Every structure is written in structure tokens, then in C-alpha cells.
Amino acid sequence: MRLTLLKKTDNTVNGNYSFTINGFQQDLRFSDGVAVTSNPIESSTFVFFKHKFAGSDIGKLFFLRVTDKGITPYKDQRFSVDHNPALDLYIAYKFKRFLITLLVLAAVYFYLNHSKGLDVRQLIESSIMSLKDLF
């Protein structure tokens, strides 16, 4: 598996290099641009690779998907990590409000249906007549 921290894989990289992987310091031995970690990956996970290079830090977040065929890396964009949970919470909040409104309307309908004799056909017919009166 090749995980590239730069745009392209450099096949000329050979030797030992120090990386920080999810906060743990680890030395990786590269051969033709490929290195294997000593810790096996058993299930899909997020992995943050960080390397000091020429006085600056290079770091990339990857999602490693483990399947029967092997490990597939996906480079994760910063936007998806920061904004998707907030967007998911907003959608869940709006959906919860929609469900509560739907349940209140259903309760009112069943109350009116059983105690006051309201029928769905009468409700639809009344709506149609109201629309006809507008035109």
C-alpha cells in the first residue's frame, strides 16, 4: 500500500524516516517509496501521518478502508472532517422537529377523527373547495 504525503509517489525514496502516526512516533523503512508499519490494521480507521521535512511539517489525514481485497486509502479533506458532523447535527435537528410536528398533527387528526367525526375525505374535499375559491 502506498500512502503519499506529497502529490506524487517518489520511487527513489529509500532508507529510514521518522513519522508521527496518530500521535505515536514511529520509524519507517522505505524501499522504492514504500514503507510498511509494524502495527497491523485490523479494521477501517482514520490515520494521521505527520513527517518533519526540511524544517516544516507535512501531515495528511487518510481513511483506510479494510476489505477482503486489501486496504484502500482515501485522502480525507479538511472540510469533510470539520463540517460534516455539524451538517449532520443540523439535519437531525430539523428532521426531529419535522417528526414532532408530524406527530402533533397526527394526534390532532386522530382526536378530531374519533371524537368529532372528521373524515379524511371531508378534509380533502374542503381543501379542494378552498383552492377553487381562490381562482
Side-chain angles (χ1 to χ4, degrees), residues 1 26-30 34-39:
M1 172 183 73
Q26 190 169 5
D27 290 327
L28 297 178
R29 180 182 167 93
F30 281 82
V34 178
V36 179
T37 63
S38 60
N39 299 329

Side-chain angles (χ1 to χ4, degrees), residues 21-89:
I21 303 173
N22 285 353
F24 295 102
Q25 189 73 26
Q26 190 169 5
D27 290 327
L28 297 178
R29 180 182 167 93
F30 281 82
S31 176
D32 295 327
V34 178
V36 179
T37 63
S38 60
N39 299 329
I41 299 172
E42 296 176 4
S43 64
S44 299
T45 185
F46 283 96
V47 179
F48 182 70
F49 290 92
K50 184 177 171 184
H51 176 63
K52 283 195 178 240
F53 179 72
S56 65
D57 291 339
I58 299 172
K60 298 288 181 190
L61 181 66
F62 290 91
F63 177 71
L64 303 179
R65 183 172 174 239
V66 178
T67 60
D68 294 336
K69 297 178 183 178
I71 299 173
T72 307
Y74 297 98
K75 183 178 167 189
D76 196 37
Q77 302 298 325
R78 184 82 178 143
F79 176 78
S80 64
V81 174
D82 289 345
H83 294 87
N84 277 349
L87 183 63
D88 291 345
L89 289 174

